[in-house]
Amino acid sequence: MKAAASTARVDEIVEQLRANGGRMNTARRALVAALVDAGGHVTAEDLATAVRRTHPNMHMATVYRNLEALEDLGVLTHLHLGHTASVYHFADDCHQHLVCQTCGHVVEVPDREFDRLTKRLGGTYGFHLTLHHFALMGICQACADESGQ
Amino acid sequence: MKAAASTARVDEIVEQLRANGGRMNTARRALVAALVDAGGHVTAEDLATAVRRTHPNMHMATVYRNLEALEDLGVLTHLHLGHTASVYHFADDCHQHLVCQTCGHVVEVPDREFDRLTKRLGGTYGFHLTLHHFALMGICQACADESGQ
DNA sequence: TTTATTGCAAATTATTTGCACATCA
DNA sequence: TGATGTGCAAATAATTTGCAATAAA
């Protein structure tokens, strides 16, 4: 069983929407709550499924439009873990994602691991890395071990 | 005007296809020639357009099926420069791609720049990076300068 | 009442797949 | 002849968009 969404966090986000000329309704509140409950790394589809438990008519278009509104507000960002659907998470929870090509396992890595690379690419190529938006691919230890034998 | 495809290279690839039970026909030969002419970093659409100059009925499905055959053969690989269509290039021409989020400019970087990062992620997280398949995003110098003023 | 939001259907983009027909070996 | 390849149409998958109906302020 998932813990009930932190009402405080939900209210905070709702307040931001309202401050920007947005309105509040059950659909939107349910979606924000589902998002807070999930705690990040959810797909639009995941969210729709969660929200539909209490709000069966929630349409994908509505999910996407709300996610977009929250991204515009700077509350959310989305990123790509591979060829499949985007995942959304809170903008203040920033880290890199390493995705195993074989099993799909996601390793989270603090940004600091990329500092040196970022500096080098900036210096040598004048290119300012923006990590986060696409994951880095590779093979996780477990899959490497398995195929290595 | 583009230089005529190196016949030698085309023949070499055709030979590989044939050695693997593949057959040859004008459509396929034209596609391989277009690929060699382009020299890499082409989308399936680009190729279709090029091939249609001499082979107007070339269908996208045929392009994709041929590209797939060439990937299976290890001649080609495809990679993602962003949200848009995949680009294909010869498998023996390996390097990293940095894509500017603002202008789309692509900077090519030798793999060696990533050696240290690869080693660190391997050691610390047991994750074996496979670069190449997805580009790294960021901002190029020109766009940084422009927005910086 | 005015403007934002929803729900539904239809459009989009990049690929993929089923199928009958054509064709290379 | 027989397996492979082609062209076309239809199917996917993840989003996006137009629009009329609905509801928040």
Side-chain angles (χ1 to χ4, degrees):
Chain A
M1 222 350 174
K2 215 159 250 175
S6 149
T7 314
R9 185 84 169 101
V10 174
D11 286 348
E12 183 195 320
I13 294 169
V14 162
E15 229 8 87
Q16 283 191 66
L17 281 166
R18 188 166 283 152
N20 268 60
R23 294 170 184 188
M24 196 41 50
N25 56 45
T26 36
R28 187 167 264 192
R29 174 159 231 114
L31 198 144
V32 173
L35 206 46
V36 173
D37 256 350
H41 297 84
V42 255
T43 64
E45 195 65 47
D46 291 340
L47 279 173
T49 305
V51 173
R52 283 181 188 137
R53 287 202 289 263
T54 59
H55 205 280
N57 290 327
M58 168 74 62
H59 196 277
M60 284 310 295
T62 304
V63 174
Y64 279 112
R65 278 185 289 227
N66 277 296
L67 288 172
E68 198 190 356
L70 291 167
E71 287 202 80
D72 289 347
L73 226 54
V75 171
L76 288 183
T77 35
H78 75 270
L79 61 99
H80 307 273
L81 295 183
H83 292 274
T84 49
S86 306
V87 300
Y88 292 78
H89 68 52
F90 292 105
D92 53 20
D93 171 29
C94 249
H95 49 256
Q96 264 311 291
H97 300 83
L98 311 181
V99 179
C100 177
Q101 289 164 331
T102 305
C103 69
H105 179 237
V106 179
V107 180
E108 300 186 5
V109 175
D111 288 357
R112 127 181 63 80
E113 298 283 2
F114 296 84
D115 286 352
R116 188 191 297 264
L117 174 72
T118 302
K119 234 171 252 153
R120 267 197 73 75
L121 295 179
T124 312
Y125 303 90
F127 190 88
H128 310 281
L129 267 191
T130 307
L131 293 160
H132 306 128
H133 194 65
F134 287 96
L136 299 180
M137 308 302 286
I139 311 284
C140 74
Q141 191 64 63
C143 290
D145 288 348
E146 207 163 302
S147 71
Q149 320 180 341
Chain B
M1 225 343 176
K2 214 161 249 173
S6 150
T7 313
R9 185 83 169 102
V10 174
D11 286 347
E12 184 195 320
I13 295 169
V14 162
E15 228 10 85
Q16 284 191 66
L17 281 167
R18 187 166 284 152
N20 267 60
R23 294 173 182 184
M24 197 41 50
N25 56 44
T26 36
R28 187 167 262 191
R29 173 158 232 116
L31 197 143
V32 172
L35 206 45
V36 172
D37 256 350
H41 297 84
V42 254
T43 64
E45 195 64 48
D46 291 340
L47 278 173
T49 305
V51 173
R52 283 180 188 138
R53 287 202 289 263
T54 59
H55 205 280
N57 290 327
M58 168 73 60
H59 196 276
M60 284 309 295
T62 304
V63 174
Y64 280 112
R65 278 186 289 226
N66 277 296
L67 289 172
E68 198 190 356
L70 291 168
E71 286 202 82
D72 289 347
L73 224 54
V75 171
L76 289 183
T77 35
H78 76 270
L79 62 99
H80 307 273
L81 296 182
H83 292 273
T84 49
S86 306
V87 299
Y88 292 78
H89 68 52
F90 292 106
D92 53 21
D93 172 29
C94 248
H95 49 256
Q96 265 310 292
H97 299 84
L98 310 180
V99 178
C100 178
Q101 288 164 333
T102 305
C103 68
H105 179 236
V106 178
V107 180
E108 301 185 4
V109 176
D111 288 356
R112 125 181 65 81
E113 299 283 3
F114 296 86
D115 285 352
R116 187 191 297 263
L117 174 72
T118 302
K119 234 171 251 155
R120 269 197 72 76
L121 294 180
T124 312
Y125 303 92
F127 190 88
H128 309 282
L129 267 191
T130 307
L131 293 159
H132 305 128
H133 195 64
F134 287 96
L136 298 179
M137 308 302 285
I139 310 284
C140 73
Q141 192 63 63
C143 290
D145 289 347
E146 206 162 303
S147 72
Q149 321 180 339

